[in-house]
Amino acid sequence: GRASALRFAADPGTEYRLVVDAPAAEALASPAAPGIVLERQDGRMLFDTGAARFTVLDDEALIAEAVLRDGAESRTVLQGSGRGAYVVDQNGRRARLGGPGSEMQTTFRVQGPRWTVLRKEGWYVTDEGARIARGIVWLHFHGGSPRVKLVHRLVLTENTNKTWFQDIGIEFQAAFEGRDAAFDVTPGAAPADPLRVALPAGAEAWMLQDDYPHFLERGSHYAVALQQDGATQELASGAVCGDWCELTGSESGFGIALRDFAPQFPKEFTVTPRGVTARLWSGRPGRAL
């Protein structure tokens, strides 16, 4: 028999039909969505999916700029986010994945008009030039879609008796002034049912899963809080939260989803008017990795 595979980007709430080995006259045909166009410039690559344009710099691991298209209009939602992946060790040293000292390597795992996967690998480097870990990132782009799938792997390279980490995350810097945050506080809930939080200037909101059943421990807890003018207010709490958040402004916005958010605790989404940080290991509960 013949081996085959099907892969496509689907929009929620839409029905799809697949016809296999149908006669040509009966096959369902529809115009193909625009494919991915890759343009190389000095020190950067531009991925145009038709629905959005993403810029990735050669010496950075992540998307530096994201521009969404809505008909004839274009809106920049991310800017300056290419070095957003960071780690903080037990001594407070912050290192970022990217920059001249990272020795960033760029390869393609898949390159096609419907699906392209860019692989980035390099060093996490402090401002003083110390290399304290390596990182690997895969960026999945889909033709006709404004969504990007990001896969991150932290590679420990130092003696873990001497170097460990209290905070690991990825910062997504907004190109607009955010006004509201939305958090998925109910696993499996529809996107229309989040907890919405107004974000005044200087405020910070977060959703943190700081405990979850593991080994013989049965405790489970999450909280959503807002910090403003030095005061912290808890807005919601419970056993298990969902896995996504959003930041919106007057005309733009974007969302971040992190699969298996609660079971991989301690996980945290931190949202400010300037952007969103997905904390892959949150230091807020006081645990170290």
Side-chain angles (χ1 to χ4, degrees):
R2 294 176 299 171
S4 60
L6 172 69
R7 184 182 183 93
F8 68 101
D11 289 322
T14 304
E15 294 184 358
Y16 299 88
R17 288 185 290 173
L18 172 65
V19 179
V20 181
D21 292 335
E26 299 177 8
L28 300 176
S30 61
I36 300 169
V37 177
L38 171 60
E39 180 183 348
R40 297 178 185 270
Q41 294 182 356
D42 234 1
R44 68 187 61 207
M45 290 183 286
L46 306 178
F47 295 86
D48 194 329
T49 68
R53 187 186 71 227
F54 303 98
T55 302
V56 181
L57 303 187
D58 290 350
D59 67 348
E60 296 181 347
L62 303 176
I63 294 169
E65 182 181 81
V67 180
L68 301 186
R69 292 198 178 93
D70 183 9
E73 294 185 7
S74 295
R75 295 172 181 169
T76 303
V77 295
L78 291 182
Q79 203 161 47
S81 295
R83 301 183 191 181
Y86 71 88
V87 295
V88 180
D89 72 4
Q90 81 279 11
N91 295 316
R93 292 188 303 171
R94 181 178 292 262
R96 293 192 175 273
L97 182 59
S102 67
E103 297 184 354
M104 191 64 62
Q105 303 169 13
T106 303
T107 56
F108 284 94
R109 299 305 301 268
V110 179
Q111 189 172 3
R114 303 294 169 213
W115 178 39
T116 289
V117 181
L118 183 69
R119 183 184 187 274
K120 291 279 199 168
E121 180 175 355
W123 290 99
Y124 277 92
V125 187
T126 68
D127 288 342
E128 295 74 30
R131 299 172 176 176
I132 61 176
R134 284 184 70 80
I136 306 174
V137 169
W138 293 264
L139 297 171
H140 295 242
F141 301 96
H142 299 275
S145 175
R147 302 176 183 89
V148 176
K149 177 181 177 181
L150 188 161
V151 180
H152 169 271
R153 178 177 295 170
L154 177 66
V155 181
L156 303 182
T157 59
E158 306 305 300
N159 184 334
T160 53
N161 289 319
K162 298 180 179 179
T163 301
W164 56 93
F165 301 103
Q166 59 179 325
D167 193 2
I168 303 168
I170 300 176
E171 298 171 340
F172 300 88
Q173 296 187 37
F176 55 91
E177 185 71 13
R179 295 183 177 181
D180 298 280
F183 296 102
D184 177 19
V185 294
T186 309
D193 299 328
L195 173 64
R196 300 195 176 275
V197 181
L199 288 175
E204 177 180 87
W206 64 81
M207 180 172 73
L208 166 66
Q209 183 83 36
D210 58 3
D211 200 7
Y212 190 83
H214 60 288
F215 303 117
L216 297 178
E217 303 291 334
R218 308 316 302 165
S220 190
H221 178 262
Y222 84 86
V224 178
L226 175 67
Q227 187 176 67
Q228 181 184 3
D229 299 327
T232 300
Q233 176 187 4
E234 185 175 282
L235 306 177
S237 64
V240 180
C241 65
D243 58 7
W244 59 266
C245 75
E246 293 178 344
L247 173 66
T248 56
S250 58
E251 297 181 348
S252 299
F254 64 89
I256 305 293
L258 184 55
R259 188 175 62 185
D260 298 328
F261 185 92
Q264 297 188 79
F265 80 103
K267 289 284 186 288
E268 178 182 333
F269 286 128
T270 306
V271 185
T272 74
R274 302 178 303 280
V276 177
T277 299
R279 287 193 155 89
L280 309 180
W281 182 278
S282 172
R284 202 180 298 271
R287 293 186 177 96
L289 176 64

